[in-house]
Amino acid sequence: MRRRILRAILLAVAVTGIVLGLPLGYSALTLVEDTAQGTLNQQAQQIATALDDQLAKQEPLSIEGVRVAIPADGRLTVISGGTTKVTGPSPGNDPLTADLSIAQQGTVRLEIPSGPMHTQQAQVAGLVLLLLAVSVGTGTIVALVTAQTLARPLGHVAARASRLGAGDFRADGQRYNIQELDAVSEALDTSATALARLVQRERELVGDVSHQLRSRLTALQLRLEALAEHPEPDTAAEARAALEQAERLAAVLDELLAAARAARAVGAEPLELRPALTLIAEEWREQVRSQGRALRVRVPDGLLARATPARLREAIGVLLDNALRHGEGSVVVSARSEEGTVVVEVSDGGAGVPDDLAAHIFERGVSGGGSTGVGLALARALVDADGGRLELSTARPATFAVFLPKPKAQDVVGISWKTQSTPR
């Protein structure tokens, strides 16, 4: 992008320089020639007038009386009454010439060398080229600054859109004082909010539907199991057949829910947690230090989990922001392995979560500190989208646990280069 902007501006500068420089150079050369010719014509006119005065007084034609008007390197040729008088050195090849008529059908020719005029034309042409070079140089500097000024925000907007597509729904307050780019940033923030709500609604809908269907199926199965013990053989057989269908329906429901979770977690990949969590912590370290607090990361090497990097960064970022807003003391990010899952915990040394708030802390709009109450609901939705879950493991001190699935063995092969290249 920066190269394209730079090329476009430099092309405009070059075209402008050519369009303005060529006419300017031609006009400057013509002006020098016209000035030299005009001066020579004036000198010839003075000589012709003086000679006419001599002839009008019937005096002998004398060049000595007009010698003061002849340039030092000029040659004067006077033809009058069949007589030709010449004074001055030869002007060389291609001289500047001024011809005028005098009385008695005479003529005056004044010639000077053209070399000084050509020298002055070369000097003027050099000055024009210098001006063009300064203009192009200035335009290049302006192009570099402009390209940098435009490319940086465009790159930031592109990265913001990429993170949004990857599931990072955090609002970005950076603006660029460029109306169009600021409008794009506002649109991205609006889209991020809408997508976050959509993810939350999807999670809640799936959870509600799953809960209701499971409850109804469980009740149905209990009734069918009771009917299966009926003394009437036909009734018992029908009940057992219906119970079998109910169990198949429950299995189909489990498969559909698993498929839905797998579709949401399509971007999840095996991820080494130590470099990933260290990188996230570095983004928040300055904010933590500004409050006089410490941020510690305690993650063993080689611990792998299946997650989407952008979603994990967003979810952990929400938990760190929550610890900064509502907690006290040091903030600790830790991780450990359990059977079939990996647990990432974010805790602080504050007073913890009030009892009346703990049961509803992940509900949208619920907050104990005057915030919007959106962050934790969004974080849970993002973790759930990767096939994990987010829970408040302990209320005092506040400790939030992110449970992530472990990657399958076949997925782990070939990821060592990713973990090695990740900054620590």
Side-chain angles (χ1 to χ4, degrees):
M1 179 60 71
R2 180 169 57 186
R3 291 182 179 179
R4 292 181 181 179
I5 297 173
L6 185 59
R7 284 199 299 265
I9 297 178
L10 289 179
L11 179 61
V13 171
V15 171
T16 303
I18 293 174
V19 171
L20 295 180
L22 291 179
L24 179 60
Y26 177 78
S27 299
L29 297 179
T30 304
L31 178 62
V32 171
E33 183 177 359
D34 291 344
T35 300
Q37 187 66 52
T39 301
L40 183 64
N41 290 338
Q42 289 179 357
Q43 292 172 335
Q45 184 63 50
Q46 292 176 358
I47 294 172
T49 301
L51 294 177
D52 281 337
D53 289 342
Q54 291 180 11
L55 295 174
K57 295 177 182 179
Q58 297 182 353
E59 296 177 357
L61 193 64
S62 174
I63 295 179
E64 294 298 329
V66 296
R67 189 174 295 279
V68 68
I70 302 175
D73 56 352
R75 181 172 71 178
L76 176 65
T77 302
V78 180
I79 300 175
S80 178
T83 302
T84 301
K85 295 183 178 182
V86 179
T87 182
S90 173
N93 297 326
D94 192 24
L96 288 179
T97 303
D99 292 315
L100 293 176
S101 299
I102 59 175
Q104 299 180 4
Q105 297 181 350
T107 59
V108 172
R109 168 172 287 185
L110 183 61
E111 300 172 296
I112 60 173
S114 60
M117 180 195 71
H118 292 319
T119 300
Q120 189 175 4
Q121 285 181 323
Q123 293 174 345
V124 171
L127 180 61
V128 171
L129 290 177
L130 179 61
L131 290 175
L132 287 178
V134 171
S135 299
V136 172
T138 304
T140 302
I141 295 174
V142 172
L144 288 171
V145 174
T146 303
Q148 186 70 20
T149 303
L150 291 178
R152 187 183 297 111
L154 284 173
H156 185 83
V157 170
R160 173 76 179 99
S162 178
R163 293 197 306 271
L164 179 61
D168 186 351
F169 302 137
R170 286 179 293 179
D172 191 340
Q174 184 171 350
R175 296 296 180 265
Y176 319 99
N177 293 324
I178 301 175
Q179 183 177 359
E180 292 77 6
L181 290 180
D182 289 346
V184 173
S185 297
E186 292 288 347
L188 288 176
D189 283 347
T190 302
S191 299
T193 302
L195 288 174
R197 292 175 178 172
L198 180 62
V199 170
Q200 176 68 10
R201 285 196 298 268
E202 178 189 0
R203 177 186 176 278
E204 292 175 350
L205 177 62
V206 171
D208 292 343
V209 170
S210 173
H211 176 73
Q212 294 297 326
L213 287 178
R214 287 180 185 278
S215 298
R216 299 300 183 270
L217 280 174
T218 299
L220 179 61
Q221 287 172 328
L222 291 175
R223 288 180 176 271
L224 291 175
E225 287 176 356
L227 286 176
E229 301 297 329
H230 197 276
E232 181 66 31
D234 292 339
T235 302
E238 290 295 331
R240 285 193 292 271
L243 180 60
E244 182 179 353
Q245 293 296 325
E247 291 174 349
R248 291 180 181 178
L249 180 59
V252 170
L253 176 60
D254 291 337
E255 292 177 0
L256 290 176
L257 291 175
R261 285 193 295 269
R264 291 199 304 271
V266 67
E269 60 186 32
L271 186 67
E272 187 177 356
L273 288 180
R274 181 178 175 83
L277 294 176
T278 300
L279 190 61
I280 297 171
E282 287 301 321
E283 297 179 2
W284 288 86
R285 198 171 298 280
E286 287 301 322
Q287 297 185 48
V288 176
R289 287 177 179 172
S290 65
Q291 295 188 10
R293 300 166 65 182
L295 176 58
R296 298 184 176 89
V297 178
R298 299 171 180 171
V299 182
D301 288 326
L303 185 59
L304 299 178
R306 183 173 179 81
T308 304
R311 289 174 179 169
L312 180 63
R313 181 175 63 249
E314 166 67 5
I316 300 300
V318 169
L319 299 180
L320 290 173
D321 181 66
N322 186 75
L324 288 180
R325 290 176 179 269
H326 309 295
E328 297 176 0
S330 298
V331 181
V332 179
V333 179
S334 61
R336 67 180 187 275
S337 176
E338 292 186 354
E339 185 177 356
T341 188
V342 175
V343 184
V344 179
E345 291 184 334
V346 178
S347 61
D348 62 80
V353 181
D355 294 336
D356 58 343
L357 184 64
H360 309 283
I361 196 168
F362 292 107
E363 296 179 8
R364 179 175 292 273
V366 175
S367 174
S371 59
T372 59
V374 175
L376 290 175
L378 172 61
R380 170 174 271 192
L382 292 174
V383 173
D384 181 76
D386 275 345
R389 71 181 192 276
L390 172 61
E391 302 291 345
L392 177 65
S393 59
T394 59
R396 294 184 181 85
T399 301
F400 291 90
V402 178
F403 296 87
L404 297 173
K406 288 184 177 181
K408 298 178 181 179
Q410 61 268 26
D411 295 333
V412 177
V413 178
I415 70 164
S416 58
W417 67 271
K418 294 183 181 180
T419 60
Q420 292 174 0
S421 62
T422 305
R424 290 181 180 244

